[in-house]
Each structure stands twice: as C-alpha cells, then as structure tokens.
Amino acid sequence: MAEVRLENVSKCYGKQKVIEDLSITINDGECFTFLGPSGCGKTVVLRLIAGFEHPDCGEISIGDKLVSSPKKGIHLPPESRKIGVVFQDYAVWPHKTVFENVIYPLTIQGIQREDAVNRTMRAIEQVNLWGLEKRLPYQLSGGQQQRVALARALVSEPEIMLLDEPLCNLDANLREEMRFEIKELQKTTGVTILYVTHDQEVALAISDRVAVMDKNGNIRQVGTPDEIYENPVDSFVFRFMGVSNFIPVVINGGHAHIKGSHLPLECPLPSLQRERQEFMAACRPSDIELFTDGSLTKGVVKKMIFLGPMIDYRIELGEREIRVQQDTQDALKRGIILSEGAPCRLRFHDLKWFNSHCLDQEVEKI
C-alpha cells in the first residue's frame, strides 16, 4: 500500500482556477474522503492523483515515487501508478460477464492465464459476487454492478483505490449496504482509499479522515469524522455537515437575546462574551428539547411533520424560524407532541458560537 502526498498543487482550466496551492498527505492504508459541494474541484484532485490530468504546478507522490511534477518534467501515466479507479457510472461492459469484466485488466497486462483466473476469482469473492461470475450486467442489480467495478479495480492489486462518487446512482438501501462493503473491503485488503463525494453521510460512515472543501476548491478542515462533525472550524463546515440552525444573538449585561427581538435565549453563554456583543449561535435540530412550560426560551410551532421515528418541527423564535427534531418514542413517553400554532419552550444543548452575525460570511468558531 502507499501514502499519497500533494505539495503546492494547482490546476486551472483557462482562466478558471480550480485547485490552488493544495498540500495534503493521505496516510498509507487509510480511507480518506474529499467532501464538498458539486463543482468544488474534488474530482479534479482525484484525476490529478490518477494521472488523468496534469497539474499546472506542484508535485504529487505515491509512496516513495514522484508521479507528477511539471517543474521536473515528470508525469507517469495512470497505468504506471498502481491505482484502481471506480467511477460513479460503474463503466462495466454490457456484453461481458462478471468474470470477463473483472479479468480484463489482467488480460491487458499480459498476466499468465492461471494466475489471472485465480486473482479474478479472489477479487470476485472479496466483493461478495461468488457464484455470479457467469452473469451479464443486465442480470445484476445496481449494487452488484458496482461490486463488479470494485472487483475490477481490485484485481490488479493496486496500492491505491480512487472512488469517484461510486454510490450516487444507487437507491438509499443499496447506498447504505455498499458503505459497509467498502469499509469492510478496506479492512480486509489494507488498500489506501481516496473517496470523492458530496454526501456527508457516506463520508462520515466510511472515512478515517475527511477533508471538507468549499465551492472555491479550498480545504476548510481536515479531521476524523467526529472532529469534523462535533468541532467544525467555521460556519461553512458546520452548515455543510448537516441540517443546521443559525440564530443571531445579542448579549448585554450577561444576558442573551435573539437579535431583532427582546426574546431571551436561555443557554450557556460563550466565554468571550465580555469582549464581543454579537454572535451567531448554531445547533442541529436534534440538539433542542421541546417543553410545554418552564423558564426556557419561548417559541411557537409553525409546522409539524410526522416522519415515523422522528417529528420535524418548524419553530418560530421572534422573527426567525428554526428546525427542531424530536425522537417520536421519546415524545410519546413524555407526552409532548405539539400541534401547529401551539406555544412551546426550548432548551438548547451543545450550541456552537461563531463570531459573525452574517450568514454570507463563513467565519471561524470562537
């Protein structure tokens, strides 16, 4: 397996800068995800590592081998980089069986037939397609076709697997199933996996580390899934990692009020509140408890949507509307299921405090 290093890598298309001065190291044997919105350049990073694109400047190394360096005139072709690539559209040949699809890279490489067959069957078994090797793609489900693509990438025994949104064409159940498959595959093979996606759930589920990219191709934060989710460095990361509420708060005399109203926000205050008067308090819908009374923040239920295991509320706080999500069983146990128009009280847990009062600015956490 191999470590991947990008040092001061930039890539432009005409006058459009996609990646600028990117430096990052993906550790040997880890599952590393580039996570960001569509058009942020995450797929370009993967293509640069694969050798499908040339960087304009900077260097890319795989293991102890320098594979791209415009300054030194080095650019190894994809077939010389010991990589396997899985695309979002499967890219399996419809006229070839599972076995024929998977063995194809070894045939091109001129691997001896007996060895190629053994490696092909081992790869097919690794992705749980044993017994389906004679089927054609139209006889397989979407998830099984994606497993064929994984097996074909594995059969060449790559040092690195590059996965470009491989689950986006699958339904919700298959996506969840394949998340487990990919994670298990990494554990059993020890291969270094670079995963590209805009899906936060997938990134959190499979990754050892995640790099969150913004729309301009900048990496805003790198960390483990729990670090990214629980300790975002700025409001962009917090907002991108899931449904979020941002509440503008004014603090005077040690008391917090929701900006634009005299409605108090009953919650622990940030440690720097003596130095600054205006903040943005952020939380997840599940970080709020609902009550019918008590000396807590007042609100009014504007909408209530029953989602089975969860109840999704829209709560009006002064001039602002926020989302609150309650576990249905807990709500039934406590006898608190509120109808539209009902007054309520809110208790906030685990608020994140940001310096800015403007959502158009992505600012660091205090």
Side-chain angles (χ1 to χ4, degrees):
M1 303 310 109
E3 176 184 85
V4 181
R5 295 184 306 281
L6 286 77
E7 298 178 14
N8 307 115
V9 171
S10 296
K11 180 64 180 177
C12 298
Y13 294 100
K15 295 182 179 179
Q16 179 67 37
K17 289 184 178 179
V18 181
I19 301 296
E20 185 173 12
D21 201 30
L22 173 63
S23 295
I24 197 164
T25 298
I26 295 93
N27 298 323
D28 180 14
E30 79 173 332
C31 183
F32 189 98
T33 297
F34 288 98
L35 173 67
S38 297
C40 73
K42 54 189 184 293
T43 294
V44 174
V45 175
L46 184 145
R47 291 178 63 83
L48 289 168
I49 294 169
F52 301 142
E53 302 278 357
H54 294 237
D56 296 323
C57 60
E59 295 186 344
I60 301 173
S61 300
I62 297 177
D64 58 2
K65 182 181 292 185
L66 183 62
V67 297
S68 285
S69 175
K71 186 177 180 180
K72 298 177 181 177
I74 296 172
H75 184 79
L76 266 66
E79 61 270 21
S80 300
R81 298 193 181 197
K82 294 186 178 180
I83 57 171
V85 184
V86 180
F87 301 100
Q88 64 183 28
D89 58 357
Y90 317 146
V92 297
W93 286 282
H95 62 289
K96 293 180 181 291
T97 65
V98 170
F99 179 88
E100 290 167 341
N101 265 283
V102 176
I103 201 172
Y104 183 77
L106 302 182
T107 304
I108 295 299
Q109 294 170 26
I111 303 298
Q112 187 179 8
R113 177 68 182 178
E114 184 179 355
D115 185 26
V117 169
N118 290 335
R119 285 167 61 175
T120 298
M121 295 308 296
R122 185 164 65 248
I124 288 172
E125 185 176 8
Q126 282 178 322
V127 298
N128 296 318
L129 288 178
W130 187 265
L132 303 180
E133 57 271 12
K134 295 181 180 180
R135 292 194 183 183
L136 291 165
Y138 79 90
Q139 297 173 304
L140 304 174
S141 68
Q144 289 170 333
Q145 290 183 52
Q146 194 58 278
R147 288 190 181 96
V148 174
L150 283 168
R152 189 177 56 197
L154 279 170
V155 76
S156 296
E157 298 176 351
E159 294 182 344
I160 303 165
M161 289 271 285
L162 306 178
L163 279 62
D164 185 9
E165 299 272 17
L167 309 184
C168 70
N169 291 326
L170 304 180
D171 63 37
N173 289 335
L174 279 175
R175 281 200 304 274
E176 184 175 352
E177 181 182 338
M178 287 303 297
R179 290 203 301 257
F180 287 107
E181 296 280 353
I182 290 170
K183 192 64 180 174
E184 187 61 28
L185 200 60
Q186 183 213 3
K187 289 180 180 178
T188 56
T189 63
V191 68
T192 303
I193 292 179
L194 274 68
Y195 197 101
V196 163
T197 187
H198 64 274
D199 189 321
Q200 299 91 339
E201 287 188 8
V202 170
L204 293 174
I206 72 169
S207 307
D208 296 309
R209 286 191 301 151
V210 178
V212 181
M213 301 177 70
D214 64 22
K215 61 184 179 182
N216 297 316
N218 301 311
I219 292 181
R220 304 299 283 261
Q221 185 173 358
V222 178
T224 62
D226 59 312
E227 287 171 348
I228 296 289
Y229 191 82
E230 296 294 337
N231 295 297
V233 297
D234 59 31
S235 54
F236 172 84
V237 175
F238 186 84
R239 183 162 48 179
F240 188 75
M241 291 309 297
V243 179
S244 53
N245 295 306
F246 285 87
I247 306 169
V249 176
V250 178
I251 299 177
N252 286 312
H255 298 285
H257 288 78
I258 297 171
K259 189 175 181 180
S261 74
H262 296 292
L263 193 66
L265 185 72
E266 302 293 342
C267 63
L269 300 181
S271 59
L272 298 180
Q273 54 99 3
R274 291 181 180 177
E275 300 175 20
R276 300 184 177 91
Q277 296 299 310
E278 294 190 3
F279 299 88
M280 190 66 74
C283 63
R284 305 290 179 197
S286 58
D287 292 332
I288 304 171
E289 274 188 282
L290 289 180
F291 298 87
T292 53
D293 54 24
S295 57
L296 304 168
T297 301
K298 296 179 181 179
V300 177
V301 177
K302 299 300 292 182
K303 293 181 181 178
M304 189 276 275
I305 303 173
F306 179 71
L307 300 174
M310 180 186 300
I311 303 172
D312 196 358
Y313 291 99
R314 302 296 193 277
I315 305 292
E316 186 179 79
L317 291 181
E319 298 177 355
R320 182 164 292 269
E321 190 174 287
I322 66 171
R323 287 181 67 174
V324 178
Q325 293 175 340
Q326 270 194 315
D327 179 83
T328 300
Q329 292 301 317
D330 181 62
L332 289 169
K333 190 181 299 182
R334 295 167 55 210
I336 300 179
I337 296 183
L338 303 173
S339 58
E340 295 180 2
C344 61
R345 301 295 181 114
L346 299 88
R347 174 178 290 157
F348 295 86
H349 299 279
D350 195 29
L351 282 174
K352 312 293 184 189
W353 294 92
F354 299 97
N355 290 330
S356 177
H357 63 284
C358 177
L359 282 180
D360 294 329
Q361 300 174 8
E362 308 300 351
V363 294
E364 293 184 359
K365 189 173 69 173
I366 62 173

